[in-house]
Amino acid sequence: MRITHHHGAGGRGSRRHGAGAAGLAALLALSVAGCGIRSMDVPVDAGPAPSRASCTAPEGAEGVNVYLVCGSRVESVPRDVPVPDPTPAEGEGTAGSGSPERSTDPAEVSPAERLAVAGRLLRELQAEPPEEEQAAGFSSAVPEDLRVLGPTGDDPERLLRLSLHPDDLPAFALVQIICTFAHTRPVGDGTSVLLGGPVEAEDREARGYTCATSLRNRPENARNAGTEVVLPPSPGGAGDASREPDTE
């Protein structure tokens, strides 16, 4: 009896099977490449890129501190802001100097003078920051059409009314205004400021705001940061101090 071995046929079948598998793998590789998918050895981080903002105020400027947005907080930036000098009270002056002494005590200046300074500060916040401040990551959220008005009727003299109620402002913008006003005499007392909305608003609630470090670090809490001030009923008309100043 002769036994026939079929090694040759089996070898050819294996080679054909191997070639078919290799071709299938190549097709799969081409289809993956065609879909734009790349093989990666490490997971992809889908989170936001880290901020490179330094939040360091440029050197050289002195005078008024304005508060701008940087990252997730509000920081101070010194600027040479030409704020109007308050007019001294009658008879006030420095003995022997021959010139009156300027007072920046909020209790010793008129509402119109306080309003003039507040208007200048607001315009500073609304302006686009200089290039060097932008390079450090600073920006402003204060609306360009926002206006500041003085007290009217029986309002407290220190009250500043905004053309939008503070609750209607973006949280970052409100913190910018609070801190810039509060730390600039005679607008604020060095730590706090009294703000309200327009007279014609149904909700006339005004609040006293303090520029605290916790508020600057968490601006989203601004709307709950003020202390309510009860105002008298709205009078029939507004006084002269309620008009926006024309001084630059």
Side-chain angles (χ1 to χ4, degrees):
M1 177 183 294
R2 187 174 60 182
I3 301 176
T4 304
H5 296 279
H6 300 283
H7 294 294
R12 288 193 300 272
S14 298
R15 285 194 296 272
R16 286 196 300 269
H17 178 73
L24 179 60
L27 286 174
L28 287 175
L30 287 174
S31 65
V32 170
C35 293
I37 302 175
R38 294 183 299 171
S39 175
M40 303 198 61
D41 296 329
V42 295
V44 176
D45 181 10
S51 173
R52 296 184 180 182
S54 67
C55 295
T56 301
E59 298 180 357
E62 294 181 357
V64 174
N65 280 332
V66 298
Y67 284 77
L68 302 177
V69 178
C70 195
S72 61
R73 60 188 189 274
V74 171
E75 297 286 350
S76 64
V77 177
R79 285 186 183 171
D80 299 319
V81 180
V83 296
D85 289 328
T87 302
E90 184 178 355
E92 183 181 357
T94 303
S97 65
S99 61
E101 182 184 71
R102 300 282 185 178
S103 172
T104 56
D105 187 338
E108 297 179 1
V109 297
S110 71
E113 292 164 340
R114 184 176 296 109
L115 178 59
V117 178
R120 183 65 184 85
L121 293 174
L122 180 60
R123 289 190 290 274
E124 195 73 20
L125 290 174
Q126 292 170 323
E128 184 177 5
E131 291 183 1
E132 58 269 23
E133 292 180 4
Q134 294 185 41
F138 291 102
S139 63
S140 181
V142 178
E144 294 182 357
D145 59 349
L146 185 67
R147 297 294 179 264
V148 58
L149 308 172
T152 181
D154 294 328
D155 285 348
E157 286 192 352
R158 287 186 55 221
L159 177 65
L160 291 170
R161 291 187 174 276
L162 302 173
S163 57
L164 287 176
H165 192 279
D167 288 347
D168 296 330
L169 287 172
F172 279 81
L174 180 55
V175 176
Q176 287 183 255
I177 294 171
I178 290 171
C179 292
T180 302
F181 283 10
H183 288 164
T184 306
R185 295 176 182 270
V187 179
D189 62 7
T191 58
S192 63
V193 65
L194 189 59
L195 298 175
V199 176
E200 59 272 16
E202 293 182 3
D203 181 7
R204 300 189 64 246
E205 176 183 296
R207 296 193 184 102
Y209 295 92
T210 299
C211 178
T213 302
S214 57
L215 183 62
R216 293 192 290 108
N217 290 337
R218 299 292 298 273
E220 63 271 17
N221 297 330
R223 294 185 180 90
N224 299 319
T227 301
E228 182 179 349
V229 176
V230 179
L231 300 179
S234 177
D240 292 341
S242 66
R243 294 199 301 265
E244 184 184 3
D246 296 328
T247 57
E248 289 296 331

